[in-house]
């Protein structure tokens, strides 16, 4: 039935789609091109070169970027792992826990970090840490990231769980599996694609965050976004473009990975 | 997106009902302590007395809200009149966010519609193409936008080369720069929920309308658009809310000359203003605004779903 | 795919190794202005002492104060506030006292910078660099006379709407007061009203408020004039070849001295003292000054300076230049009114 949809095409829409893609990609492509620019100036083209990539790893700012990259990736890894575990557990209760009084409230709380503008969350967390005397630093960033990553991990996980009908677990239990076995052997494997994409989403969201991190970071603890922000204020240098291109490549690999996983799942 | 998750889904069962409390405990604990409690604390802070040069004194005061809504002159001793300065900042933010949302809708709807009308196998590729830029760090995207829009940047070079303009357009450090930045930042947020809605739309309805000799344009506005309204609302929320509180676009593309809500709040905590209660009050007012918008839209969406079902 | 994952896992572990190694050696945490210390000097310090220097940056005195007040105390060892900010921090009991004899190079401080009124006897601070703040103009855009603050507050047509201001309340307010010829912290209502009218009236001529992009925006041509520090402007002219000229208005301009202060509750107080001693060595300060292109406040530096530095137009005011004045610290009531003006200015 839906194949007839093409009949309701508007030729202008195709143009708009390409315009949309052009708008989305043009800035990224330009950054990518200029990261290979030999010239020190960002406005003139001085030939192809990899010097800015070398500069990222050996240049004067390399120590700063290395520690920022370490902070970013380690925080993203830990925060995404913890957030995914919490979100999976919450999704079990929300999707498989029947109706209960606080269900709507719980749903609201879980999604609060998505619904509330980031600056509000940032201010609230800053005030909170300050009141309890929690010194700003690596730990404050990590705690904040775990919290706001939860909804991003929760969305794909709960969506996936809703797609799995209860009959599978019921069947396993009819075959004398206990609840734990039914979970470990049946539900969990079936949920894996959802958990995986939830983890990746949380990972990227954490890696990407600027506003909250900028509020709660402490002495000398930078993540990649805050380090880049500090650098670009003094002018967009080619080494920033090189870092950006590497992050772009990294993100693309991750998204492709998650896309492939979801496709494997679909062929089942 | 928001609607689908809220309605629960059909596969809900109660197999884990006994362990419910334990399963929800970690989420409640973490979000309760790190997000909910801080928001309440922020509410309390907005009613405290400010300490000179940053910090608060634990004494009740309405001064923060008074400062927000009432103008008592430069020296603070004139009879109060309505303070337009901050309302103006909020209004500007709402206006900028609205324009960015409309722009995103204008480009996003045709794109989502186009993708949804492709053959099934092609759709995932198109969606994939739309999502990739969203995964790139927002900061990097904003920076590259700044690079492109500069007076001597590629966009102006191009426009001058094809002869549309003689002098470079100044876009950076203007409101237009901020709008373009917001629009660009959150465009994928518009396309994805729209696509999800249009894909679910049953084109048999369009066929029926076409059989009754409705022109295609009319089918789009009278049949398709009402049916995918929940997707439109979800997309608008996802662009509007982050735009409203954004900080990067005004700072990097607006030259920090015209404050938006995000910069105003930031300035109270990390800039020179150092007025914590006022920053907390401004954040509370922003939060209230956003929750009001969400509530109105959620109610409308619920009504739509009820009507459809 | 798997290999990529494994490589990143290895990279993570190696990074972890680095991080722990650094902690073991000891560190000193510096809260610093952006772009205010050359990497060679950091490397030299780390090589000589084995102490890792961790640097976090800010872009205005006020932002630094705000961050320290918002739970930053106890995480940094030293900061580099300007003159008036040293006094504010001292009044707020944020500075630790350097005991007599703790700094072996204390004697290197030039006598004229020893008994400064914001820190008599240098009990909490050492000189870092000093210089001036006024503004620079792109000479390709405007070639008229620029020795007047009218360039900022009542600009010629070529410059109107293309002026960048520092995102620094203290400096903008001070320059406005200089333009009007009133005392900076005048509590007089007419003076303050005039100050407010001037700022609000000039606002339309200003493009943006940015400190850390102050040089870049002039070099790139995005702004045609802008408030800037003398050495920062010199670096834009020399390192990046921009045709910008630093102005010395006849009404006067701002003088400042940045100082490294020892913060209360410093987690690595001993290392902080070592760093301060290091920054009192003429050779090191010479390296620093050659980089920042400002001026040093300690004796014996001249031997290490680039010969061209002394002749720079940015550090040699012409005869008709007005007085260079330091920023005053206002009382609370006046300051709160200034805060109100500043917020209104940027709405």
């Amino acid at each position: 039935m839906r194949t007839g949809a093409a009949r309701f095409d508007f030729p202008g829409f195709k143009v708009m789609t390409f315009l949309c893609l052009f708008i989305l990609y043009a800035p990224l492509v330009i950054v990518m091109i200029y990261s290979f620019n030999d010239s020190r100036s960002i406005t003139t083209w001085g030939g192809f070169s990899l010097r800015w990539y070398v500069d990222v790893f050996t240049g004067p700012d390399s120590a700063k970027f290395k520690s920022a990259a370490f902070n970013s990736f380690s925080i993203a890894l830990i925060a995404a792992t913890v957030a995914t575990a919490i979100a999976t557990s919450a999704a079990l209760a929300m999707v498989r826990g029947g109706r209960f009084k606080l269900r709507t409230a719980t749903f609201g709380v879980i999604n609060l970090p998505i619904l509330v503008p980031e600056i509000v969350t940032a201010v609230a967390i800053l005030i909170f840490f300050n009141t309890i005397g929690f010194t700003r630093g690596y730990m404050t960033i990590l705690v904040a990231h775990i919290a706001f990553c939860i909804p991003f991990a929760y969305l794909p996980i709960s969506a996936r769980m809703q797609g799995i009908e209860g009959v599978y677990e019921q069947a396993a239990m009819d075959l004398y599996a206990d609840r734990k076995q039914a979970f470990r052997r049946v539900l969990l494997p079936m949920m894996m694609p959802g958990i995986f994409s939830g983890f990746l989403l949380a990972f990227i969201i954490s890696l990407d965050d600027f506003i909250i991190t900028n509020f709660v970071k402490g002495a000398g603890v930078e993540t990649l976004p805050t380090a880049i922000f500090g650098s670009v204020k003094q002018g967009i240098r080619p080494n920033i473009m090189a870092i950006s291109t590497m992050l772009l490549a990294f993100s693309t690999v991750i998204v492709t990975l998650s896309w492939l996983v979801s496709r494997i799942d679909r062929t089942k | 997106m928001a609607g689908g998750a809220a309605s629960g889904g059909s596969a809900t069962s109660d197999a884990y009902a006994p362990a419910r409390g334990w399963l929800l405990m970690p989420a409640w604990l973490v979000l309760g302590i790190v997000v909910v409690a801080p928001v309440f604390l922020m509410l309390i802070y907005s009613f405290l007395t400010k300490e000179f040069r940053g910090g608060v004194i634990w004494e009740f005061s309405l001064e923060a809200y008074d400062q927000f809504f009432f103008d008592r002159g430069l020296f603070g001793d004139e009879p109060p009149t309505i303070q337009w300065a901050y309302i103006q900042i909020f209004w500007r933010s709402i206006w900028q966010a609205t324009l960015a949302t409309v722009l995103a809708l204008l480009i996003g709807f045709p794109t989502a519609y186009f993708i949804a009308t492709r053959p099934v196998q092609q759709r995932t590729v198109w969606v994939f193409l739309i999502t990739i830029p969203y995964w790139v760090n927002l900061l990097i995207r904003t920076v590259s936008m700044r690079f492109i829009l500069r007076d001597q940047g590629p966009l102006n070079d191009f426009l001058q080369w094809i002869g549309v303009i003689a002098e470079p357009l100044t876009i950076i450090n203007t409101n237009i720069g901020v709008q373009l930045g917001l629009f660009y930042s959150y465009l994928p947020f518009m396309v994805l929920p729209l696509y999800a809605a249009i894909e679910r739309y049953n084109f048999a309805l369009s066929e029926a309308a076409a059989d009754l000799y409705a022109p295609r344009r009319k089918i789009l506005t009278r049949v398709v658009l009402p049916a995918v309204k929940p997707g439109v609302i979800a997309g608008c929320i996802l662009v509007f809310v982050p735009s409203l509180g954004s900080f990067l676009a005004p700072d990097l593309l607006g030259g920090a000359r015209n404050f938006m809500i995000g910069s105003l709040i930031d300035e109270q905590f990390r800039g020179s203003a150092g007025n914590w209660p006022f920053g907390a009050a401004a954040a509370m007012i922003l939060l209230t605004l956003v929750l009001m918008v969400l509530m109105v839209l959620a109610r409308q969406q619920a009504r739509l779903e009820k009507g459809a079902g | 795919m798997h290999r990529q994952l494994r490589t990143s896992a290895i990279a993570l572990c190696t990074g972890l190794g680095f991080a722990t190694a650094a902690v073991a050696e000891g560190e000193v945490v510096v809260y610093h202005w952006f772009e205010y210390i050359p990497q060679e000097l950091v490397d030299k310090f780390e090589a000589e002492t084995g102490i890792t220097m961790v640097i976090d940056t800010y872009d205005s005195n006020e932002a630094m104060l705000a961050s320290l007040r918002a739970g930053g105390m106890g995480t940094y060892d030293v900061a580099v506030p300007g003159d008036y900010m040293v006094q504010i921090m001292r009044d707020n009991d944020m500075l630790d006292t350097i005991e007599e004899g703790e700094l072996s190079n204390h004697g290197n401080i030039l006598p004229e910078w020893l008994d400064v009124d914001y820190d008599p006897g240098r009990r909490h601070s050492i000189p870092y660099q000093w210089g001036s703040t006024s503004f620079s103009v792109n000479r390709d855009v405007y070639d008229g006379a620029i020795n007047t603050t009218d360039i900022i507050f009542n600009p010629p047509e070529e410059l109107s709407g293309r002026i960048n201001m520092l995102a620094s309340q203290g400096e903008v307010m001070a320059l406005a007061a200089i333009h009007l010829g009133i005392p900076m912290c005048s509590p007089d209502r007419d003076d303050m009203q005039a100050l407010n009218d001037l700022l609000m009236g000039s606002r339309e001529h200003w493009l943006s408020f940015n400190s850390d992009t102050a040089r870049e925006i002039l070099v790139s041509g995005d702004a045609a004039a802008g408030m800037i520090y003398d050495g920062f402007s010199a670096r834009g002219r020399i390192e990046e070849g921009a045709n910008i000229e630093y102005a010395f208005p006849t009404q006067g301009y701002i003088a400042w001295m940045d100082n490294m202060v020892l913060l209360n509750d410093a987690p690595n107080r001993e290392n902080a003292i070592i760093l301060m001693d290091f920054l009192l060595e003429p050779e090191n300060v010479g390296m620093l000054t050659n980089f920042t292109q400002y001026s040093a406040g300690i004796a014996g530096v001249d031997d290490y300076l680039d010969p061209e530095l002394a002749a720079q137009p940015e550090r040699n005011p012409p005869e008709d230049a007005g007085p260079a004045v330091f920023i005053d610290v206002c009382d609370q009531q006046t300051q709160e009114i200034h805060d109100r003006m500043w917020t209104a200015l940027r709405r």
Side-chain angles (χ1 to χ4, degrees), chain C residues 140-316:
Chain C
D140 294 336
V141 177
Y142 180 72
D143 56 5
I146 59 167
N147 61 345
T148 166
T149 44
D150 278 330
I151 293 287
I152 297 292
F153 297 102
N154 186 19
E157 209 178 312
E158 294 95 316
L159 300 177
S160 177
R162 302 189 61 192
I163 299 171
N164 176 56
M165 298 298 282
L166 292 175
S168 160
Q169 184 180 348
E171 272 150 322
V172 172
M173 292 284 191
L175 196 66
I178 290 172
H179 177 75
L180 290 174
I182 56 171
M184 267 174 221
C185 290
S186 170
D188 182 74
R189 287 184 71 130
D190 292 341
D191 283 352
M192 281 199 274
Q193 192 63 56
L195 192 62
N196 192 46
D197 293 346
L198 174 69
L199 291 169
M200 294 309 286
S202 317
R203 190 173 173 264
E204 57 174 299
H205 302 303
W206 299 340
L207 173 72
S208 54
F209 286 91
N210 267 310
S211 293
D212 36 18
T213 57
R215 182 183 67 183
E216 198 259 343
I217 200 170
L218 284 174
V219 170
S220 68
D222 289 346
M227 278 183 80
I228 198 165
Y229 320 107
D230 55 347
F232 212 36
S233 180
R235 289 176 58 193
R237 179 175 60 81
I238 297 163
E239 292 169 17
E240 319 209 33
N243 185 17
I244 50 176
E245 185 178 333
Y246 186 74
F248 287 97
T250 52
Q251 293 92 335
Y253 55 100
I254 300 161
W256 49 260
M257 169 168 260
D258 287 330
N259 314 269
M260 183 169 276
V261 295
L262 184 61
L263 293 169
N264 260 340
D265 309 323
N268 313 288
R269 191 179 182 282
E270 272 173 41
N271 293 345
I273 294 288
I274 296 173
L275 173 64
M276 289 175 129
D277 242 344
F278 179 84
L279 287 173
L280 287 172
E281 296 264 9
E283 187 191 345
N284 302 334
V285 181
M287 266 171 93
L288 175 66
T289 312
N290 286 331
F291 170 78
T292 65
Q293 314 210 353
Y294 299 121
S295 305
I298 71 163
V301 174
D302 291 354
D303 303 343
Y304 299 96
L305 294 185
D306 289 341
E308 302 91 54
L309 213 56
Q312 271 181 8
E314 285 83 359
R315 58 178 61 228
N316 291 296

Side-chain angles (χ1 to χ4, degrees), chain A residues 26-38 45 47-49 52-53 241 245, chain B residues 147:
Chain A
L28 304 178
V29 170
I30 285 184
V31 163
M32 223 187 288
I33 293 172
Y34 274 89
S35 74
F36 295 108
N37 186 0
D38 191 49
W45 180 256
F48 179 88
S49 156
W52 299 112
Y53 288 86
M241 301 204 174
T245 307
Chain B
F147 177 68

Side-chain angles (χ1 to χ4, degrees), chain A residues 1-2 4-11 13-14 16-21 23-28 30-31 34 42-43 86 89-90 92-100 103 106-107 109-110 112-113 115-117 119-120 123-128 130-131 143-144 146-147 150 155 162 164-165 169 179 183 187 201 204-205 207-208 210-211 214-215 225 228-229 232-233 236 241 244 247-248 251-252 255-256 259 266, chain B residues 1 5-6 8-9 11-17 20 23-24 26-28 30-31 33-36 38-39 41-42 45 58 106-107 109-111 113-114 117-118 124-126 128-130 132-141 143-148 150 154 183-184 187-188 191 199-204 206-207 210 216-217 219-220 241 245 247-248 251-252 262 265-266 269-270 276 280 283 286-287 290 294:
Chain A
M1 209 181 283
R2 280 184 187 176
R7 239 184 83 193
F8 299 94
D9 237 7
F10 290 80
F13 282 12
K14 188 171 185 175
M16 293 293 261
T17 307
F18 282 104
L19 179 66
C20 176
L21 285 176
I23 293 170
L24 286 173
Y25 280 90
L28 304 178
I30 285 184
V31 163
Y34 274 89
I42 49 163
T43 41
I86 293 174
S89 153
L92 265 181
M94 293 292 284
V95 182
R96 292 279 196 270
R99 297 189 176 279
F100 58 101
R103 195 165 184 279
T106 310
F107 185 78
V109 167
I110 290 176
L112 205 58
L115 299 176
V116 171
I119 187 96
V120 174
V123 164
I125 296 181
L126 173 73
I127 288 178
F128 173 68
N130 206 53
T131 309
V143 170
I146 289 175
I150 291 176
L155 284 179
Q162 278 162 12
I164 304 170
E165 287 178 40
E169 293 152 84
R179 161 111 10 253
F183 173 74
L187 188 57
L201 189 56
I204 291 279
I205 290 290
L207 203 60
D208 203 45
F210 172 74
I211 294 182
N214 202 31
F215 262 78
I228 292 173
F229 184 75
V232 293
K233 291 288 260 179
I236 308 165
M241 301 204 174
S244 307
L247 277 175
L248 172 66
S251 302
T252 314
V255 188
T256 316
W259 190 57
R266 203 160 289 178
Chain B
M1 195 169 175
T12 311
S13 77
D14 53 4
Y16 288 85
R20 204 161 53 202
L23 289 169
L24 283 177
W28 268 106
V30 172
L31 289 167
I33 294 175
V34 187
V35 180
V36 180
V39 168
L41 195 63
M42 186 171 81
Y45 261 61
W58 284 82
L106 284 180
I107 300 260
F109 186 84
T111 307
Y113 188 91
F114 176 78
T117 50
R118 290 311 92 201
T124 47
V125 180
W126 284 103
F128 187 59
L129 282 175
I130 296 285
I132 285 191
Y134 157 71
W135 296 103
V136 177
N137 200 301
L138 177 60
L139 177 65
I140 293 172
R141 284 187 286 151
V143 169
S144 50
M145 199 68 176
R146 175 164 122 167
F147 177 68
I148 286 185
R150 290 178 58 224
F183 152 74
Y184 174 63
L187 179 57
V191 178
E199 200 208 17
R200 241 178 292 149
Y201 167 73
N202 188 350
F203 275 92
S206 292
E207 306 245 0
R216 278 201 306 186
R217 198 171 293 267
I219 297 176
L220 185 69
V241 170
F247 168 79
L248 286 175
D251 196 66
L252 291 171
I265 296 174
D266 184 75
F269 291 92
R270 303 186 327 105
W276 286 36
L286 171 62
L287 180 61
V290 168
L294 288 178

Side-chain angles (χ1 to χ4, degrees), chain B:
Chain B
M1 195 169 175
S7 50
S10 54
T12 311
S13 77
D14 53 4
Y16 288 85
R20 204 161 53 202
W22 291 106
L23 289 169
L24 283 177
M25 184 92 80
W28 268 106
L29 268 181
V30 172
L31 289 167
I33 294 175
V34 187
V35 180
V36 180
V39 168
F40 278 104
L41 195 63
M42 186 171 81
L43 178 66
I44 296 174
Y45 261 61
S46 71
F47 288 105
L48 294 181
T49 308
K50 87 165 218 185
E51 195 178 340
F52 185 46
R53 301 193 197 283
V56 286
I57 301 165
W58 284 82
E59 269 168 39
F60 177 81
S61 160
L62 281 173
E63 206 185 307
Y65 291 94
D66 184 90
Q67 184 187 343
F68 192 95
F69 291 110
F70 297 109
D71 182 5
R72 291 171 193 276
L74 184 58
F75 306 101
D77 53 6
E78 288 164 35
T81 51
I82 294 203
Q83 170 64 281
W84 292 108
Y86 305 116
I87 296 173
Q88 203 182 329
I89 291 177
F90 269 63
W91 176 244
R92 179 186 302 125
S93 307
I94 293 170
W95 181 237
Q96 302 270 52
T98 307
L99 284 180
T101 310
V102 169
L103 203 56
L105 188 62
L106 284 180
I107 300 260
F109 186 84
T111 307
Y113 188 91
F114 176 78
I115 297 175
T117 50
R118 290 311 92 201
V120 183
Q121 310 90 300
Q122 280 182 28
R123 286 181 210 161
T124 47
V125 180
W126 284 103
V127 171
F128 187 59
L129 282 175
I130 296 285
T131 26
I132 285 191
Y134 157 71
W135 296 103
V136 177
N137 200 301
L138 177 60
L139 177 65
I140 293 172
R141 284 187 286 151
T142 311
V143 169
S144 50
M145 199 68 176
R146 175 164 122 167
F147 177 68
I148 286 185
L149 297 178
R150 290 178 58 224
D151 288 7
Q152 281 88 25
L155 180 71
N156 269 313
D157 283 353
F158 176 73
L159 290 178
Q160 274 169 305
W161 182 66
I162 61 170
V164 179
I165 48 170
E167 287 288 303
L169 295 172
T170 303
I171 303 172
I172 295 291
N173 297 323
T174 65
N175 287 343
I176 296 170
V178 178
Q179 283 149 22
L180 286 177
L182 292 175
F183 152 74
Y184 174 63
S185 304
Y186 303 115
L187 179 57
F189 284 7
M190 178 62 86
V191 178
L192 294 180
L194 274 177
Y195 162 73
I198 300 173
E199 200 208 17
R200 241 178 292 149
Y201 167 73
N202 188 350
F203 275 92
L205 290 174
S206 292
E207 306 245 0
D211 290 346
L212 295 169
Y213 301 106
R216 278 201 306 186
R217 198 171 293 267
K218 231 176 196 151
I219 297 176
L220 185 69
T221 52
R222 294 285 178 79
V223 184
V224 182
L225 218 48
V228 301
K229 208 169 164 193
V232 175
I233 292 175
C236 289
I237 291 177
L238 288 177
V239 176
F240 185 78
V241 170
S243 295
L244 199 55
S246 76
F247 168 79
L248 286 175
D251 196 66
L252 291 171
L253 297 169
R257 178 179 180 264
N258 293 317
F259 265 9
M260 280 184 49
I261 303 174
S263 346
L264 176 72
I265 296 174
D266 184 75
E267 176 89 355
Q268 307 306 320
F269 291 92
R270 303 186 327 105
S272 51
N275 190 341
W276 286 36
F278 181 69
M284 278 316 298
I285 294 166
L286 171 62
L287 180 61
T288 314
L289 263 178
V290 168
L291 290 183
M292 264 160 49
V293 170
L294 288 178
M295 234 127 83
V296 169
L297 290 177
R299 191 162 299 170
Q300 198 171 358
Q301 192 139 21
R303 206 181 306 146
L304 280 173
E305 269 167 20
K306 206 177 273 173

